[in-house]
Amino acid sequence: MAPHGDKSDAAEETMVAEAEKRPISTILIVMAMQSEALPVVNKLNLSEDLESVFPKGVPWVRYRGFYKDLNINLVWPGKDSSLGVDCVGTVPASLVTYASIQALQPDLIINAGTAGGLKAKGACIGDAYVASDVAFCDRRIPIPVFDLYGLGLRQAFSTPNLQKELNLKVGKLSTGDSLHMSTQDEASMVANDAVVKDMEAAAVAYVADLLKVPSVFLKVVIDIKDGEETTAEESSQSFAALERAVTQVIDFINGKCLSDL
């Protein structure tokens, strides 16, 4: 007789396999900033949810609607109630992701947004990347095993067909809570072979992994961390490229199962 743990693992594997063969129905798009979210909201013709599924008093915003055969939910952490700026960073991202999964039970998470890129790794402004792996670059805990916990390396859901069909670049993604990339952050990114850096993906990945929801990370390069400063025109082009990339990904997903990605 197989040990109880083996039976549980086998049952879980069976459930995962069956889920991957069902058509994708509900998608949760997690974004960090209003300027990133609104072009996608307008393109997909989503409407703001005025009867919030979130706890009273939180600034989190949800847009929803149907796009072709998909039930789309786009969330972002909203504005800080005191300072009025976008609630960027890992803490707001993890909280809104957790609450959204609990309330909406998505089949797939897409964490989409802009990111910094490394010129030395081939990144250019406007490039769209799908992350193969995500990790933190600023959680330094120099104690055996805790160092691995701090790194928080997780694999994204594999999407070889999506990458090939849309000709998306693939690379490793690092997450840190600072916009500026310190020398230590850069060393961590190099050690992890990262190509792009953002401020929320690894936190979204942590929550998605806890709650067993497949997650994809789509990032468009808006600035070069090891190069010259980005112009206003280049930033505008990157936001437009992000909207196009998200729409193309949603179009590709429509009518498919997880195993088709």
Side-chain angles (χ1 to χ4, degrees), residues 215-234:
S215 50
V216 175
F217 302 88
L218 177 66
K219 303 292 171 174
V220 170
V221 177
I222 194 171
D223 70 308
I224 300 299
K225 293 299 183 183
D226 53 350
E228 298 179 357
E229 290 189 11
T230 306
T231 66
E233 182 180 358
E234 288 172 329

Side-chain angles (χ1 to χ4, degrees), residues 26 40 218:
T26 301
V40 178
L218 177 66

Side-chain angles (χ1 to χ4, degrees), residues 193-260:
D193 198 29
V195 183
V196 287
K197 176 193 176 294
D198 79 342
M199 298 176 67
E200 68 277 340
V204 173
Y206 172 76
V207 177
D209 187 42
L210 278 179
L211 300 181
K212 308 302 180 188
V213 183
S215 50
V216 175
F217 302 88
L218 177 66
K219 303 292 171 174
V220 170
V221 177
I222 194 171
D223 70 308
I224 300 299
K225 293 299 183 183
D226 53 350
E228 298 179 357
E229 290 189 11
T230 306
T231 66
E233 182 180 358
E234 288 172 329
S235 294
S236 178
Q237 291 172 351
S238 296
F239 286 126
L242 175 63
E243 177 264 299
R244 287 194 301 272
V246 173
T247 304
Q248 289 171 350
V249 168
I250 295 297
D251 279 329
F252 179 84
I253 291 172
N254 183 61
K256 291 184 173 61
C257 307
L258 289 171
S259 58
D260 296 328

Side-chain angles (χ1 to χ4, degrees), residues 64-207:
R64 63 176 178 169
F66 284 88
Y67 181 79
K68 299 185 177 179
D69 297 327
L70 296 170
N71 176 17
I72 306 291
N73 297 271
L74 187 153
V75 300
W76 68 288
K79 300 279 187 179
D80 182 87
S81 59
S82 298
L83 302 174
V85 298
D86 292 328
C87 294
V88 298
T90 57
V91 174
S94 61
L95 287 170
V96 75
T97 300
Y98 177 82
S100 297
I101 293 174
Q102 293 293 87
L104 305 171
Q105 298 294 303
D107 300 313
L108 178 70
I109 294 172
I110 301 173
N111 172 223
T114 53
L118 291 181
K119 183 178 180 180
K121 300 293 291 185
C124 299
I125 290 174
D127 284 349
Y129 278 88
V130 172
S132 57
D133 306 83
V134 296
F136 294 96
C137 64
D138 59 355
R139 299 203 313 183
R140 292 176 285 275
I141 311 175
I143 302 172
V145 184
F146 278 95
D147 56 352
L148 298 177
Y149 167 77
L151 180 62
L153 178 64
R154 287 177 173 82
Q155 285 189 330
F157 187 77
S158 180
T159 57
N161 297 324
L162 170 69
Q163 296 159 17
K164 182 178 180 180
E165 178 70 20
L166 301 183
N167 196 30
L168 297 169
K169 290 190 171 183
V170 182
K172 294 184 178 182
L173 169 62
S174 278
T175 294
D177 269 307
S178 295
L179 185 63
H180 171 70
M181 184 175 68
S182 70
T183 302
Q184 290 174 306
D185 292 346
E186 184 175 8
S188 177
M189 288 182 65
V190 170
N192 192 40
D193 198 29
V195 183
V196 287
K197 176 193 176 294
D198 79 342
M199 298 176 67
E200 68 277 340
V204 173
Y206 172 76
V207 177

Side-chain angles (χ1 to χ4, degrees), residues 27-67:
I27 293 179
L28 172 64
I29 304 174
V30 180
M31 305 186 83
M33 300 175 65
Q34 187 178 44
S35 55
E36 296 172 337
L38 289 184
V40 178
V41 167
N42 293 331
K43 181 66 176 181
L44 301 181
N45 197 28
L46 306 179
S47 301
E48 185 171 353
D49 181 17
L50 300 179
E51 298 180 3
S52 179
V53 296
F54 300 133
K56 185 177 180 180
V58 300
W60 310 334
V61 181
R62 172 195 176 208
Y63 296 92
R64 63 176 178 169
F66 284 88
Y67 181 79

